[in-house]
Amino acid sequence: MIDWNAIPAEQREAWVLGATAAMGLAYGVLAQGSRFCFLRAVQAAFARTRHAPLRLFAVAMAAALLGSQWLSVAADVDLRQSLYAQSRVSWVMVALGGVLFGYGMALANACGARSLVLLGSGNLRSLVTLLCLAVGASATLTGVLAPLRIRLTEATPTPLAATTLPDLLAGLVSIPDAAARWGIVALLVAGLLGWAFTRRDRTTASDTSAASASSSPWRTLLPGVLIGLLVPLGWWITGRLGADDFEPVPLTSITFVAPVAQALQYLQLSTGVALGHGVVLCAGVLAGAWASALLRREFQWQGFTSAAQTGRSMAGGVLMGAGGVLALGCTIGQGLTGFSTLALSTYPALAGIVAGTWLAGRTTTHQGQ
């Protein structure tokens, strides 16, 4: 058995980057083949047309939660050290960021993760969205909008006695931390899987593919399970494989707002910027989606059809970049990775993303991506 702690720092960094690239590659393949997309899931649920996309995401959430909580115990990875578990966070700004992200996602017809997958499939519209997302995120995180973000966040703080849902429950009802943790995990996983495996789309006699899917739920939901399990893999890569007392890798997993911004920065300043987790993750997703699209014969160059479509993609990208920074993550960063930590900041972020998507659906009409 490999003793990861005995690996020299230089080799450890190479292992971390290689494992991250493989994780991104797997995500790209799975997401491209399954059409994994939070936006489509929410839009279909609002329209009450199809539940399959949301079922896929629900299964991914359950797998990410169960796998991450098991890992935190089995491999001693403290998920409270992640970005999402903050003791002093502005729920107002997190929720507002979620609304901005959700609205921008609907304008661009794809979130950051889906845009990477679409770009790997030949969709050049997604390239514009990603570039604008990177600009919006950089401006909000460290650029011209950073001082305003900091002032607003400091003006609306929400000091928390607990950073995660189990900690909050254990403090309120005075029960052991383990009981609170696994009780909440059991309830959430049971609820998500119960809904995913009992909800069915209405089908007609001629819809043989849908009938087949209904008769074999595991076959259609398996990609969601595998995507969800990539989240604890990411925690293990950065929390165990990347653990170093002198140069530790920041504890993180799959997320795409800051990594897209980091990737653009690396393309411009690679001689002076170290190759990091986020850059390799994005490259892996692109490569995986490209390979999957080629193998499935779905690769096709696509561009804009109008100036209005270009404007929506640009505006959507900027809003997602800025909103994702405020919300501490995106549909994947908060919807899967943040959710897997049971951090309290995840819930206003996800509520804001859903609200922003709904608001965009009520106020805008445009063609799909």
Side-chain angles (χ1 to χ4, degrees), residues 249-274:
V249 176
L251 183 63
T252 187
S253 186
I254 303 179
T255 186
F256 291 101
V257 174
V260 168
Q262 292 163 3
L264 179 59
Q265 184 184 48
Y266 184 79
L267 288 175
Q268 302 173 85
L269 305 170
S270 61
T271 57
V273 177

Side-chain angles (χ1 to χ4, degrees), residues 134-151 261 265 325:
V135 171
S138 297
T140 307
L141 190 62
T142 58
V144 295
L145 296 179
L148 176 61
R149 170 183 62 82
I150 294 172
R151 284 198 295 270
Q265 184 184 48
V325 170

Side-chain angles (χ1 to χ4, degrees), residues 66-349:
L66 187 59
S68 297
Q69 293 300 319
W70 173 84
L71 178 77
S72 69
V73 175
D76 193 25
V77 176
D78 187 3
L79 299 180
R80 295 185 183 89
Q81 300 301 315
S82 69
L83 168 71
Y84 311 100
Q86 297 189 16
S87 59
R88 186 177 178 84
V89 62
S90 171
W91 281 26
V92 173
M93 298 305 294
V94 169
L96 175 61
V99 172
L100 292 176
F101 187 94
Y103 197 94
M105 175 176 66
L107 283 180
N109 272 302
C111 66
R114 182 62 179 164
S115 293
L116 279 170
V117 173
L118 290 173
L119 178 58
S121 304
N123 190 321
L124 297 178
R125 299 190 296 271
S126 294
L127 176 60
V128 174
T129 298
L130 288 168
L131 290 173
C132 291
L133 186 154
V135 171
S138 297
T140 307
L141 190 62
T142 58
V144 295
L145 296 179
L148 176 61
R149 170 183 62 82
I150 294 172
R151 284 198 295 270
L152 291 176
T153 300
E154 291 178 347
T156 57
T158 310
L160 302 174
T163 60
T164 67
L165 197 55
D167 291 342
L168 180 64
L169 178 62
L172 290 175
V173 298
S174 299
I175 61 176
D177 292 344
R181 177 209 295 258
W182 293 113
I184 291 173
V185 168
L187 286 174
L188 290 176
V189 170
L192 289 167
L193 292 182
W195 183 88
F197 281 93
T198 57
R199 182 69 61 176
R200 293 289 183 271
D201 294 326
R202 294 180 179 179
T203 60
T204 63
S206 61
D207 194 354
T208 56
S209 62
S212 175
S214 296
S215 62
S216 180
W218 272 114
R219 181 180 178 183
T220 55
L221 296 179
L222 180 59
V225 174
L226 296 177
I227 288 174
L229 291 177
L230 292 177
V231 173
L233 174 60
W235 293 127
W236 179 83
I237 290 172
T238 58
R240 293 299 299 168
L241 184 57
D244 188 296
D245 292 336
F246 299 100
E247 295 183 8
V249 176
L251 183 63
T252 187
S253 186
I254 303 179
T255 186
F256 291 101
V257 174
V260 168
Q262 292 163 3
L264 179 59
Q265 184 184 48
Y266 184 79
L267 288 175
Q268 302 173 85
L269 305 170
S270 61
T271 57
V273 177
L275 184 62
H277 175 276
V279 179
V280 174
L281 175 65
C282 291
V285 172
L286 273 174
W290 174 74
S292 177
L294 287 180
L295 290 174
R296 296 167 62 90
R297 297 182 179 180
E298 294 176 353
F299 185 90
Q300 181 181 3
W301 293 114
Q302 300 177 56
F304 291 104
T305 59
S306 67
Q309 189 181 42
T310 307
R312 287 192 296 268
S313 292
M314 294 175 66
V318 172
L319 287 175
M320 281 194 289
V325 170
L326 296 177
L328 306 179
C330 57
T331 52
I332 304 300
Q334 281 284 24
L336 293 185
T337 302
F339 179 77
S340 75
T341 68
L342 294 175
L344 294 176
S345 67
T346 294
Y347 305 101

